[in-house]
mmCIF file of all heavy atoms in Angstrom:
data_model
loop_
_atom_site.group_PDB
_atom_site.id
_atom_site.type_symbol
_atom_site.label_atom_id
_atom_site.label_comp_id
_atom_site.label_asym_id
_atom_site.label_seq_id
_atom_site.Cartn_x
_atom_site.Cartn_y
_atom_site.Cartn_z
ATOM 1 N N GLY A 19 1.829 30.645 -14.455
ATOM 2 C CA GLY A 19 0.606 31.446 -14.509
ATOM 3 C C GLY A 19 0.314 32.183 -13.213
ATOM 4 O O GLY A 19 -0.837 32.481 -12.917
ATOM 5 N N ALA A 20 1.334 32.461 -12.442
ATOM 6 C CA ALA A 20 1.099 32.988 -11.095
ATOM 7 C C ALA A 20 0.840 34.484 -11.064
ATOM 8 O O ALA A 20 0.639 35.057 -10.018
ATOM 9 C CB ALA A 20 2.291 32.653 -10.207
ATOM 10 N N CYS A 21 0.868 35.108 -12.227
ATOM 11 C CA CYS A 21 0.798 36.570 -12.197
ATOM 12 C C CYS A 21 -0.517 37.118 -12.729
ATOM 13 O O CYS A 21 -0.538 38.007 -13.577
ATOM 14 C CB CYS A 21 1.979 37.164 -12.962
ATOM 15 S SG CYS A 21 3.491 36.918 -12.055
ATOM 16 N N LEU A 22 -1.584 36.582 -12.260
ATOM 17 C CA LEU A 22 -2.885 37.098 -12.662
ATOM 18 C C LEU A 22 -3.069 38.500 -12.089
ATOM 19 O O LEU A 22 -2.783 38.771 -10.942
ATOM 20 C CB LEU A 22 -3.975 36.188 -12.099
ATOM 21 C CG LEU A 22 -5.403 36.622 -12.367
ATOM 22 C CD1 LEU A 22 -5.756 36.366 -13.824
ATOM 23 C CD2 LEU A 22 -6.351 35.864 -11.472
ATOM 24 N N VAL A 23 -3.559 39.406 -12.921
ATOM 25 C CA VAL A 23 -3.840 40.744 -12.412
ATOM 26 C C VAL A 23 -5.285 40.757 -11.924
ATOM 27 O O VAL A 23 -6.219 40.587 -12.671
ATOM 28 C CB VAL A 23 -3.635 41.800 -13.512
ATOM 29 C CG1 VAL A 23 -3.940 43.190 -12.964
ATOM 30 C CG2 VAL A 23 -2.203 41.729 -14.026
ATOM 31 N N LEU A 24 -5.447 40.932 -10.636
ATOM 32 C CA LEU A 24 -6.782 40.942 -10.050
ATOM 33 C C LEU A 24 -7.216 42.375 -9.830
ATOM 34 O O LEU A 24 -6.413 43.288 -9.799
ATOM 35 C CB LEU A 24 -6.769 40.192 -8.714
ATOM 36 C CG LEU A 24 -6.502 38.700 -8.846
ATOM 37 C CD1 LEU A 24 -6.067 38.119 -7.525
ATOM 38 C CD2 LEU A 24 -7.744 37.987 -9.340
ATOM 39 N N THR A 26 -7.382 44.738 -7.881
ATOM 40 C CA THR A 26 -6.812 45.015 -6.560
ATOM 41 C C THR A 26 -7.542 46.142 -5.821
ATOM 42 O O THR A 26 -7.690 46.084 -4.614
ATOM 43 C CB THR A 26 -5.316 45.372 -6.649
ATOM 44 O OG1 THR A 26 -5.160 46.240 -7.746
ATOM 45 C CG2 THR A 26 -4.450 44.154 -6.808
ATOM 46 N N PHE A 29 -10.484 45.180 -3.436
ATOM 47 C CA PHE A 29 -10.303 44.568 -2.112
ATOM 48 C C PHE A 29 -9.250 45.258 -1.267
ATOM 49 O O PHE A 29 -9.075 44.942 -0.105
ATOM 50 C CB PHE A 29 -9.986 43.076 -2.241
ATOM 51 C CG PHE A 29 -8.669 42.762 -2.887
ATOM 52 C CD1 PHE A 29 -7.523 42.664 -2.118
ATOM 53 C CD2 PHE A 29 -8.590 42.550 -4.245
ATOM 54 C CE1 PHE A 29 -6.301 42.367 -2.717
ATOM 55 C CE2 PHE A 29 -7.377 42.248 -4.838
ATOM 56 C CZ PHE A 29 -6.240 42.159 -4.080
ATOM 57 N N PHE A 41 -0.750 38.766 2.465
ATOM 58 C CA PHE A 41 -0.771 37.959 1.238
ATOM 59 C C PHE A 41 -1.365 38.766 0.091
ATOM 60 O O PHE A 41 -2.241 39.596 0.288
ATOM 61 C CB PHE A 41 -1.605 36.697 1.446
ATOM 62 C CG PHE A 41 -1.090 35.825 2.546
ATOM 63 C CD1 PHE A 41 -1.736 35.764 3.766
ATOM 64 C CD2 PHE A 41 0.068 35.072 2.365
ATOM 65 C CE1 PHE A 41 -1.256 34.969 4.789
ATOM 66 C CE2 PHE A 41 0.562 34.275 3.388
ATOM 67 C CZ PHE A 41 -0.103 34.226 4.609
ATOM 68 N N ASP A 42 -0.908 38.469 -1.120
ATOM 69 C CA ASP A 42 -1.408 39.174 -2.293
ATOM 70 C C ASP A 42 -1.913 38.156 -3.319
ATOM 71 O O ASP A 42 -1.125 37.461 -3.965
ATOM 72 C CB ASP A 42 -0.272 40.009 -2.894
ATOM 73 C CG ASP A 42 -0.736 40.773 -4.128
ATOM 74 O OD1 ASP A 42 -1.875 40.532 -4.603
ATOM 75 O OD2 ASP A 42 0.051 41.582 -4.629
ATOM 76 N N PRO A 43 -3.240 38.071 -3.470
ATOM 77 C CA PRO A 43 -3.822 37.066 -4.379
ATOM 78 C C PRO A 43 -3.332 37.216 -5.808
ATOM 79 O O PRO A 43 -3.297 36.238 -6.566
ATOM 80 C CB PRO A 43 -5.327 37.344 -4.315
ATOM 81 C CG PRO A 43 -5.543 38.194 -3.127
ATOM 82 C CD PRO A 43 -4.263 38.915 -2.843
ATOM 83 N N GLY A 44 -2.960 38.438 -6.202
ATOM 84 C CA GLY A 44 -2.543 38.672 -7.578
ATOM 85 C C GLY A 44 -1.144 38.167 -7.869
ATOM 86 O O GLY A 44 -0.849 37.764 -8.990
ATOM 87 N N THR A 45 -0.267 38.171 -6.885
ATOM 88 C CA THR A 45 1.116 37.767 -7.168
ATOM 89 C C THR A 45 1.488 36.432 -6.534
ATOM 90 O O THR A 45 2.389 35.750 -7.018
ATOM 91 C CB THR A 45 2.122 38.828 -6.664
ATOM 92 O OG1 THR A 45 1.864 39.049 -5.277
ATOM 93 C CG2 THR A 45 1.965 40.131 -7.424
ATOM 94 N N THR A 46 0.817 36.072 -5.447
ATOM 95 C CA THR A 46 1.133 34.790 -4.810
ATOM 96 C C THR A 46 -0.149 33.979 -4.674
ATOM 97 O O THR A 46 -0.880 34.095 -3.701
ATOM 98 C CB THR A 46 1.755 35.002 -3.409
ATOM 99 O OG1 THR A 46 2.720 36.033 -3.513
ATOM 100 C CG2 THR A 46 2.411 33.740 -2.916
ATOM 101 N N PRO A 47 -0.431 33.159 -5.694
ATOM 102 C CA PRO A 47 -1.687 32.416 -5.691
ATOM 103 C C PRO A 47 -1.715 31.318 -4.626
ATOM 104 O O PRO A 47 -0.676 30.927 -4.094
ATOM 105 C CB PRO A 47 -1.741 31.820 -7.093
ATOM 106 C CG PRO A 47 -0.347 31.799 -7.570
ATOM 107 C CD PRO A 47 0.370 32.923 -6.902
ATOM 108 N N SER A 79 -4.688 30.331 -12.541
ATOM 109 C CA SER A 79 -3.664 31.082 -11.809
ATOM 110 C C SER A 79 -3.610 30.656 -10.347
ATOM 111 O O SER A 79 -2.540 30.629 -9.745
ATOM 112 C CB SER A 79 -3.921 32.588 -11.904
ATOM 113 O OG SER A 79 -5.151 32.913 -11.299
ATOM 114 N N GLN A 80 -4.753 30.291 -9.778
ATOM 115 C CA GLN A 80 -4.785 29.975 -8.343
ATOM 116 C C GLN A 80 -4.552 28.490 -8.046
ATOM 117 O O GLN A 80 -4.211 28.146 -6.920
ATOM 118 C CB GLN A 80 -6.155 30.374 -7.756
ATOM 119 C CG GLN A 80 -6.423 31.868 -7.751
ATOM 120 C CD GLN A 80 -5.542 32.636 -6.760
ATOM 121 O OE1 GLN A 80 -5.278 32.165 -5.665
ATOM 122 N NE2 GLN A 80 -5.090 33.812 -7.158
ATOM 123 N N PHE A 356 -13.402 33.567 -4.024
ATOM 124 C CA PHE A 356 -13.599 34.802 -4.790
ATOM 125 C C PHE A 356 -15.099 35.070 -4.873
ATOM 126 O O PHE A 356 -15.887 34.144 -5.071
ATOM 127 C CB PHE A 356 -12.998 34.686 -6.195
ATOM 128 C CG PHE A 356 -11.486 34.662 -6.187
ATOM 129 C CD1 PHE A 356 -10.802 33.478 -5.963
ATOM 130 C CD2 PHE A 356 -10.749 35.835 -6.377
ATOM 131 C CE1 PHE A 356 -9.407 33.451 -5.931
ATOM 132 C CE2 PHE A 356 -9.360 35.811 -6.348
ATOM 133 C CZ PHE A 356 -8.687 34.614 -6.120
ATOM 134 N N PRO A 362 -11.191 38.690 -4.500
ATOM 135 C CA PRO A 362 -10.939 37.806 -3.357
ATOM 136 C C PRO A 362 -11.764 38.225 -2.143
ATOM 137 O O PRO A 362 -11.885 39.413 -1.852
ATOM 138 C CB PRO A 362 -9.447 37.957 -3.087
ATOM 139 C CG PRO A 362 -9.022 39.167 -3.828
ATOM 140 C CD PRO A 362 -9.987 39.422 -4.922
ATOM 141 N N TRP A 366 -10.494 33.860 0.807
ATOM 142 C CA TRP A 366 -9.180 33.711 0.147
ATOM 143 C C TRP A 366 -8.060 33.861 1.168
ATOM 144 O O TRP A 366 -7.124 33.064 1.221
ATOM 145 C CB TRP A 366 -9.005 34.720 -0.991
ATOM 146 C CG TRP A 366 -7.770 34.430 -1.813
ATOM 147 C CD1 TRP A 366 -7.707 33.701 -2.957
ATOM 148 C CD2 TRP A 366 -6.417 34.813 -1.500
ATOM 149 N NE1 TRP A 366 -6.397 33.608 -3.395
ATOM 150 C CE2 TRP A 366 -5.589 34.278 -2.513
ATOM 151 C CE3 TRP A 366 -5.826 35.540 -0.470
ATOM 152 C CZ2 TRP A 366 -4.209 34.456 -2.533
ATOM 153 C CZ3 TRP A 366 -4.444 35.708 -0.476
ATOM 154 C CH2 TRP A 366 -3.640 35.169 -1.501
#
Side-chain angles (χ1 to χ4, degrees):
C21 289
L22 177 74
V23 180
L24 293 162
T26 43
F29 66 89
F41 300 105
D42 180 352
T45 55
T46 315
S79 63
Q80 294 291 321
F356 290 84
W366 189 94

